[in-house]
Amino acid sequence: MVSLRTDVGTVALDRPGMVASGIMDETGPSLARMIECGCGAVVTKSVGLEPNAGHANPCFTEVPGGYVNAMGLPNPGIELFAEEMEVAVKAGKVVGSIYGASPEDFSKLAGRMEDYGACAVELNLSCPHAKGYGMEVGTDPAMVRAIVGAVKSSVSIPVWAKLTPNTHILQDIGRAVQDAGGDAVVAINTLKAMVIEPEFARPLLSNRFGGLSGQGVRPVGVRAIYDLRTVLDIPLVGVGGIYDWRDAAQYIMAGASAFQIGSAVGSVGPEVFSQVNKGLEEFMKDYGYDSISSMVGAAHE
Ligand code: SIN
């Protein structure tokens, strides 16, 4: 008998897959729909203090093996997001993703997500193209320590930090999260990218820069989780280019206790979760793993 249940610290999940922030997660009904598709939890679109319209079109394009997006963190603001959370938390476990520019912003947002019933909060320290947010605050270990520390002292739900691969000091940033009391690290967000339209001699996205997601980023994500596992004791959540059970198994064997799926929800469909669950169960039966925890970090041995 194999079991897909897993724990990310104190967050117990019936299944190891979650919807990654940014996909089918801006409204209560879309979050609830995804919970019914075989995920253990859903992560909301990153929400900020004020309503934000995001970037003008074009803000999204397909590339071989994935997507490049610069949505610009569109969201209704944390106060209006209450109504979406009310619907979503009735359906299952919801991780509230938030973005801010300072420890104070993150603390306020985390407090609201806790009030709304989030099972954990995920700090977006990693959007690769938002001025003053995301990786602009998330690649400075001192700032990361300050943000995580401030959020930890203002909420009692677990605090996860989503990190960027666009740095050569990922392990230092991971250590900053752990030293400040962070409960888990999520890696990776998108890779900073650009697409140019030769006919117009200009970048395709209105924001010029965007973030690359999809199959092409998977080896970067797996390497990031592997590197983080060698220096951290807190749980890890792997994300980046998971399209099938083999991809999920790579992240688990690199050291992740759970994983998130984003781009494949768009290109395969929400059924990607049931396909991954089925494939993982069969693999675990065939190869003698009775639990997710028995596979975590297997590639380090
Ligand atoms: C966006 O809304 O532009 C993407 C958010 C992210 O990459 O974290």
Side-chain angles (χ1 to χ4, degrees):
M1 202 44 195
V2 304
S3 166
L4 289 185
R5 71 162 303 288
T6 188
D7 300 302
V8 180
T10 56
V11 179
L13 301 173
D14 288 342
R15 305 227 161 15
M18 293 173 251
V19 173
S21 181
I23 308 285
M24 295 287 288
D25 58 1
E26 289 188 42
T27 69
S30 61
L31 285 156
R33 178 175 168 222
M34 291 313 300
I35 288 168
E36 283 152 23
C37 290
C39 341
V42 288
V43 187
T44 69
K45 176 72 186 162
S46 297
V47 180
L49 287 173
E50 303 299 334
N52 177 18
H55 294 314
N57 281 325
C59 54
F60 180 88
T61 189
E62 195 161 357
V63 294
Y67 305 106
V68 178
N69 90 84
M71 309 306 289
L73 296 163
N75 75 97
I78 195 70
E79 296 309 323
L80 279 180
F81 204 65
E83 54 194 85
E84 312 305 340
M85 288 294 285
E86 197 183 335
V87 175
V89 296
K90 282 189 191 130
K93 292 198 169 154
V94 182
V95 178
S97 171
I98 55 177
Y99 72 91
S102 66
E104 295 72 29
D105 289 359
F106 276 100
S107 296
K108 275 188 219 152
L109 290 159
R112 301 302 284 149
M113 281 296 189
E114 181 170 37
D115 296 343
Y116 299 159
C119 68
V121 70
E122 182 180 281
L123 313 181
N124 182 339
L125 300 173
S126 45
C127 176
H129 51 72
K131 267 258 139 297
Y133 299 111
M135 77 176 201
E136 287 197 8
V137 292
T139 45
D140 171 359
M143 184 58 137
V144 168
R145 203 171 290 116
I147 291 170
V148 174
V151 176
K152 277 301 285 181
S153 36
S154 34
V155 295
S156 46
I157 53 174
V159 177
W160 301 358
K162 185 168 179 182
L163 302 186
T164 178
N166 302 296
T167 174
H168 65 287
I169 55 163
L170 179 65
Q171 289 177 322
D172 297 339
I173 301 166
R175 281 195 200 94
V177 174
Q178 180 168 286
D179 293 349
D183 298 280
V185 166
V186 181
I188 55 174
N189 204 321
T190 53
L191 275 77
K192 190 170 183 180
M194 179 181 276
V195 176
I196 290 177
E197 292 245 81
E199 293 81 357
F200 298 105
R202 48 159 289 184
L204 184 151
L205 298 178
S206 72
N207 186 57
R208 293 171 172 260
F209 298 100
L212 173 68
S213 62
Q215 315 228 30
V217 311
R218 185 174 53 251
V220 178
V222 171
R223 183 274 303 161
I225 289 291
Y226 193 96
D227 275 352
L228 288 164
R229 182 74 291 146
T230 61
V231 295
L232 300 185
D233 300 318
I234 56 176
L236 305 175
V237 176
V239 52
I242 297 178
Y243 280 58
D244 63 25
W245 71 264
R246 294 186 70 86
D247 306 338
Q250 289 194 57
Y251 274 99
I252 296 168
M253 291 184 166
S257 303
F259 53 86
Q260 298 177 354
I261 300 182
S263 298
V265 174
S267 38
V268 177
E271 59 273 25
V272 67
F273 286 98
S274 48
Q275 292 169 7
V276 168
N277 291 339
K278 188 165 174 284
L280 270 179
E281 265 172 352
E282 278 166 17
F283 169 72
M284 287 164 71
K285 253 185 246 151
D286 290 350
Y287 282 79
Y289 295 102
D290 59 353
S291 61
I292 295 293
S293 63
S294 66
M295 283 171 72
V296 173
H300 290 260
E301 285 150 20

